[in-house]
C-alpha cells in the first residue's frame, strides 16, 4: 500500500482435488519427470479409458446408473494416488510466476498479484484466471 500498488489475491481450495486432474497434462508430466516403461504404462492405464457407475441399494430395490466415461481425475484409493495429483499441480507456478506470486500447499493454492499500472494489473489478473480456468477444466 505504501508503494501505491494494486493488489489482489486468488485463493483456490480444490474441494475435489483428485477429480480435477487433466490426464493428458499429467501424462506429459510423468514423461518429463522420467517415469517411463512399465511405471508409465501403469499410471496411464489408471488415468485413461476408465468408466464408473453408481449403485444405490435399499431394502426393496437396487438402482444402477449407466456406465459413464471418466474424463478427468486420478483414481482414489491407490497407495500412490496422491502422487499423480502432486505431479500435476507442482508445475502450475511455472505458468503464472511471471504475472504473480504463486504459493502451493497440497490442494490449497494462493496466487498474489500486484502492479503499479491498472491496465497491466487487469491484464495479468485476467491472464492468471484464464490459466487457472484452463488448468482445472
Amino acid at each position: 500500500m505504501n508503494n501505491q500498488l494494486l493488489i489482489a489475491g486468488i485463493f483456490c481450495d480444490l474441494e475435489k482435488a483428485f477429480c480435477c486432474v487433466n490426464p493428458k497434462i499429467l501424462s506429459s508430466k510423468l514423461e518429463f519427470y522420467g517415469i517411463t516403461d512399465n511405471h508409465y504404462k501403469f499410471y496411464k492405464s489408471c488415468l485413461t479409458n476408465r468408466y464408473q457407475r453408481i449403485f444405490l441399494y435399499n431394502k426393496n430395490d437396487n438402482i444402477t446408473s449407466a456406465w459413464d466415461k471418466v474424463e478427468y481425475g486420478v483414481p482414489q484409493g491407490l497407495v500412490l494416488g496422491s502422487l499423480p495429483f502432486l505431479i500435476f499441480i507442482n508445475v502450475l507456478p511455472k505458468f503464472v510466476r511471471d504475472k504473480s506470486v504463486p504459493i502451493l500447499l497440497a490442494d490449497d493454492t494462493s496466487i498474489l498479484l500486484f502492479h503499479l499500472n491498472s491496465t497491466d494489473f487487469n491484464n495479468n489478473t485476467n491472464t492468471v484466471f484464464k490459466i487457472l480456468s484452463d488448468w482445472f477444466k
Side-chain angles (χ1 to χ4, degrees):
M1 291 178 72
N2 291 341
N3 296 332
Q4 303 298 312
L5 292 173
L6 298 167
I7 301 171
I10 302 171
F11 304 98
C12 308
D13 182 9
L14 301 175
E15 188 174 281
K16 297 179 182 179
F18 289 109
C19 297
C20 69
V21 174
N22 183 320
K24 290 177 185 174
I25 293 173
L26 180 58
S27 292
S28 67
K29 290 183 189 338
L30 291 172
E31 288 179 303
F32 175 79
Y33 286 118
I35 298 173
T36 59
D37 301 328
N38 288 335
H39 295 107
Y40 178 79
K41 289 177 186 175
F42 168 75
Y43 273 114
K44 187 146 178 137
S45 72
C46 290
L47 298 170
T48 57
N49 295 321
R50 295 183 309 134
Y51 291 83
Q52 69 182 16
R53 67 179 178 175
I54 299 171
F55 293 101
L56 297 175
Y57 296 105
N58 63 38
K59 290 182 181 179
N60 302 324
D61 196 17
N62 296 332
I63 301 169
T64 305
S65 72
W67 286 100
D68 196 18
K69 188 169 186 173
V70 178
E71 299 289 339
Y72 293 93
V74 294
Q76 297 176 35
L78 290 176
V79 173
L80 297 174
S82 59
L83 181 61
F85 173 76
L86 294 174
I87 290 171
F88 173 75
I89 195 75
N90 196 36
V91 77
L92 176 64
K94 175 183 173 185
F95 293 98
V96 298
R97 187 174 295 132
D98 63 331
K99 305 200 177 333
S100 63
V101 178
I103 302 165
L104 299 180
L105 179 61
D107 62 342
D108 293 320
T109 300
S110 300
I111 299 176
L112 306 175
L113 299 113
F114 51 89
H115 213 286
L116 280 169
N117 178 313
S118 64
T119 302
D120 290 340
F121 178 77
N122 290 337
N123 289 339
N124 285 350
T125 303
N126 288 331
T127 300
V128 170
F129 270 118
K130 172 87 171 95
I131 291 168
L132 290 173
S133 174
D134 292 344
W135 197 267
F136 295 111
K137 258 185 192 170

